[in-house]
Amino acid sequence: MLNIILFGPPGSGKGTQANLLKEKYQLLHISTGDLLREEIANGTKLGLEAKTLMDKGELVPDEVVVGMIQSKLDANKKAKGLILDGFPRTVKQAEALDQLLGELNSPINALVSIVVDEEELKQRLLLRGKESGRPDDQNESIIENRIKEYKNKTTAVATYYENKGKLHEINGVGDVETINKLICSTLDSMSKF
Ligand code: B4P
């Protein structure tokens, strides 16, 4: 099993890279952002509650996302491995994840942290906002709030896995293909695989 976390600030390329990696390594891709947007599109109660927070650039409660992950794991017991994109975003989520994976005897192998400077992040997200109309990419103050949430609540997740010897940092500025090669060579060089 290869279980990896794709980590980084909003706009760092997690979703973009996850889509490439899931093909190459035949992994189940779980994006909590995509799952939440699906709930919003379906007009569920969970979706309506999450939308208020997401539109402001705030994180949704830990119990909500952990519950979504648990359901996904339950529904995909035969998966060959996981690529987690946008999860965990708090240390509480990381602890809950480790417990769920512990029960399956299939721990996280690596956290790949995609490093991108703040100005580049803002430019990418504003551009996506123009092209896709995604509400949380629409203006600079929401984007700044997402980056603030990342700094305050999410960066500690990298330290949590660093303490377990599982942190791998990748330069996330450059073309998508080059960054993908960097991630693949990191994963391929990990002795277990
Ligand atoms: P996400 O959907 O995870 O959104 P994101 O952080 O913006 O990352 P995403 O994967 O979409 O973007 P990417 O970097 O690939 O989360 C949205 C919201 O959901 C959160 O703010 C929060 O409210 C909520 N949420 C989700 N998970 C949660 C959790 N676990 N706990 C609590 N709340 C949660 O790409 C960005 C743009 O950059 C794209 O347009 C892409 O084309 C472009 N790009 C990618 N790579 C590039 C490159 N190398 N060069 C130039 N552009 C590039």
Side-chain angles (χ1 to χ4, degrees):
M1 291 275 280
L2 173 59
N3 293 330
I4 62 170
I5 297 170
L6 267 194
F7 184 84
S12 53
K14 303 182 293 287
T16 307
Q17 294 298 333
N19 279 320
L20 300 172
L21 295 168
K22 72 177 177 192
E23 300 297 335
K24 179 169 160 81
Y25 296 98
Q26 296 291 298
L27 303 173
L28 174 69
H29 173 205
I30 307 179
S31 156
T32 39
D34 287 350
L35 292 174
L36 290 165
R37 283 184 288 276
E38 238 172 76
E39 296 282 345
I40 294 172
N42 293 334
T44 64
K45 183 168 173 282
L46 188 160
L48 291 174
E49 283 166 9
K51 184 173 170 30
T52 326
L53 295 165
M54 288 167 76
D55 285 355
K56 287 190 280 188
E58 290 169 19
L59 295 185
V60 306
D62 291 334
E63 315 79 75
V64 173
V65 282
V66 170
M68 292 191 317
I69 292 286
Q70 187 158 19
S71 312
K72 270 276 169 191
L73 293 178
D74 286 346
N76 291 278
K77 291 214 163 95
K78 291 195 178 139
K80 282 168 75 184
L82 304 173
I83 181 154
L84 296 165
D85 152 17
F87 178 90
R89 263 178 155 96
T90 64
V91 170
K92 253 192 158 172
Q93 292 179 19
E95 288 167 349
L97 173 68
D98 280 355
Q99 184 166 349
L100 288 173
L101 293 180
E103 285 160 17
L104 300 172
N105 248 328
S106 175
I108 288 297
N109 301 103
L111 177 145
V112 176
S113 173
I114 309 176
V115 181
V116 177
D117 62 88
E118 205 165 314
E119 201 38 48
E120 168 84 10
L121 296 173
K122 286 186 197 163
Q123 295 316 317
R124 286 185 190 179
L125 293 173
L126 286 169
L127 180 67
R128 182 170 66 182
K130 270 193 212 142
E131 287 166 354
S132 73
R134 223 175 100 164
D136 56 346
D137 289 338
Q138 290 299 314
N139 74 59
E140 214 160 324
S141 69
I142 301 173
I143 292 170
E144 276 166 3
N145 202 29
R146 288 162 66 193
I147 296 174
K148 197 171 111 207
E149 286 274 87
Y150 172 79
K151 286 182 183 159
N152 289 342
K153 299 177 183 167
T154 307
T155 48
V157 172
T159 313
Y160 174 88
Y161 284 101
E162 185 179 20
N163 290 338
K164 294 174 186 279
K166 293 179 177 175
L167 170 68
H168 300 266
E169 286 190 333
I170 300 286
N171 171 25
V173 181
D175 61 87
V176 170
E177 207 179 303
T178 306
I179 296 161
N180 186 248
K181 280 190 187 143
L182 283 174
I183 298 176
C184 291
S185 63
T186 298
L187 295 179
D188 293 342
S189 68
M190 287 165 48
S191 54
K192 283 182 189 154
F193 316 106

